[in-house]
């Protein structure tokens, strides 16, 4: 299978919003996963017939890859803005984890993160999905690393870990929040986990030591 987008095909002009259609595609895959979602399911979710879907976006695999990319681009752009706009690392992490929990639980099914909920099973056998998953993980690490490095450069009271190591911890917490949300953890439990991570990363090492040491 190829993840490359198909070349434009001749036909009637598009009468739909590609971004909106891809959002509907994403929702369908989010609910059923790649294997559990048929092209018929995608046609039903988008209101487009199969020839229209294939002509505009390619086959099921191409649709899934584009859905992964759109989700990643949107959520990481939003995440970077949250981190950059916050005045302190503590506030930045609290705001980002709060937004993530809201996204992961903002429906009856508590679907978690689209990428981490649907891509790992496919990544075992699909090199294109594996590459997209790696790009997503690298983007998260870089996003956190830049904000943690900034906090350290500005002299904030925060972790003394190297920014890249601290960033991987923050990313791991984000992944854990997604998995736990999908498993039915309460919002209270998710926020407690997030706050523990914030306390770890946004306080100076000296303040976290016990008095007996």
């Amino acid at each position: 299978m190829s993840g490359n987008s198909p070349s434009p095909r001749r036909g009637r002009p598009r009468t739909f919003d590609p971004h909106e259609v891809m959002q509907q595609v994403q929702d369908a895959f989010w609910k059923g996963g790649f294997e559990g979602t048929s092209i018929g399911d995608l046609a039903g979710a988008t209101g487009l017939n199969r020839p229209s879907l294939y002509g505009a976006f390619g086959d099921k695999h191409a649709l899934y890859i584009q859905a992964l990319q759109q989700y990643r681009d949107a959520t990481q752009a939003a995440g970077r803005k949250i981190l950059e706009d916050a005045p302190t690392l503590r506030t930045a992490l609290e705001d980002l984890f709060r937004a993530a929990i809201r996204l992961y639980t903002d429906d009856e099914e508590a679907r978690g993160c689209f990428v981490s909920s649907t891509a790992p099973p496919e990544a075992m056998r699909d090199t294109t999905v594996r590459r997209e998953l790696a790009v997503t993980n690298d983007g998260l690490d870089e996003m956190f690393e830049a904000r943690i490095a900034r906090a350290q450069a500005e002299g904030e009271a925060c972790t003394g870990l190297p920014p890249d190591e601290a960033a991987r911890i923050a990313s791991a917490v984000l992944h854990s929040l997604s998995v736990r949300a999908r498993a039915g953890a309460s919002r209270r439990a998710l926020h407690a986990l997030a706050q523990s991570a914030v306390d770890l990363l946004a306080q100076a090492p000296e303040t976290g030591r016990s008095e007996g040491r």
Side-chain angles (χ1 to χ4, degrees), residues 21-39:
V21 170
M22 194 52 57
Q23 184 66 50
Q24 294 162 338
V25 166
Q26 174 189 298
D27 288 341
F29 279 127
W30 210 337
K31 182 177 181 179
F34 180 77
E35 288 295 334
T37 304
S38 68
I39 195 68

Side-chain angles (χ1 to χ4, degrees), residues 77-95:
R80 283 192 296 271
K81 187 175 190 311
I82 289 172
L83 293 178
E84 292 168 1
D85 288 352
T88 66
L89 178 61
R90 175 173 290 275
T91 301
L93 293 174
E94 287 176 342
D95 289 350

Side-chain angles (χ1 to χ4, degrees), residues 1 33-36 64 118-127 129-130:
M1 293 182 293
F34 180 77
E35 288 295 334
Y64 179 64
T118 65
E122 302 310 313
M124 294 293 293
R125 55 182 175 268
D126 188 317
T127 57
V129 175
R130 188 183 311 147

Side-chain angles (χ1 to χ4, degrees), residues 82-166:
I82 289 172
L83 293 178
E84 292 168 1
D85 288 352
T88 66
L89 178 61
R90 175 173 290 275
T91 301
L93 293 174
E94 287 176 342
D95 289 350
L96 188 140
F97 287 141
R98 189 179 301 115
I101 291 169
R102 185 165 54 248
L103 174 64
Y104 298 164
T105 62
D106 195 21
D107 58 56
E108 294 180 358
E109 298 175 345
R111 299 179 296 181
C113 166
F114 174 60
V115 176
S116 64
S117 295
T118 65
E122 302 310 313
M124 294 293 293
R125 55 182 175 268
D126 188 317
T127 57
T128 304
V129 175
R130 188 183 311 147
R131 182 172 62 248
E132 293 298 331
L133 181 58
V135 170
T136 298
N137 289 337
D138 290 345
L140 289 176
D141 291 347
E142 292 166 4
M143 179 181 76
F144 283 119
E145 182 178 352
R147 188 60 183 86
I148 293 167
R150 170 184 154 190
Q152 292 180 343
E154 293 176 351
E156 281 189 50
C158 63
T159 178
L161 289 171
D164 59 337
E165 293 182 18

Side-chain angles (χ1 to χ4, degrees), residues 1-7 9 54 56-63 65-66 69 126 128 131-132:
M1 293 182 293
S2 173
N4 294 330
S5 299
S7 58
R9 302 179 185 179
Y54 282 130
F57 302 101
D59 61 13
K60 174 182 163 180
H61 184 264
L63 281 160
I65 295 300
Q66 290 172 74
Q69 293 169 341
D126 188 317
T128 304
R131 182 172 62 248
E132 293 298 331

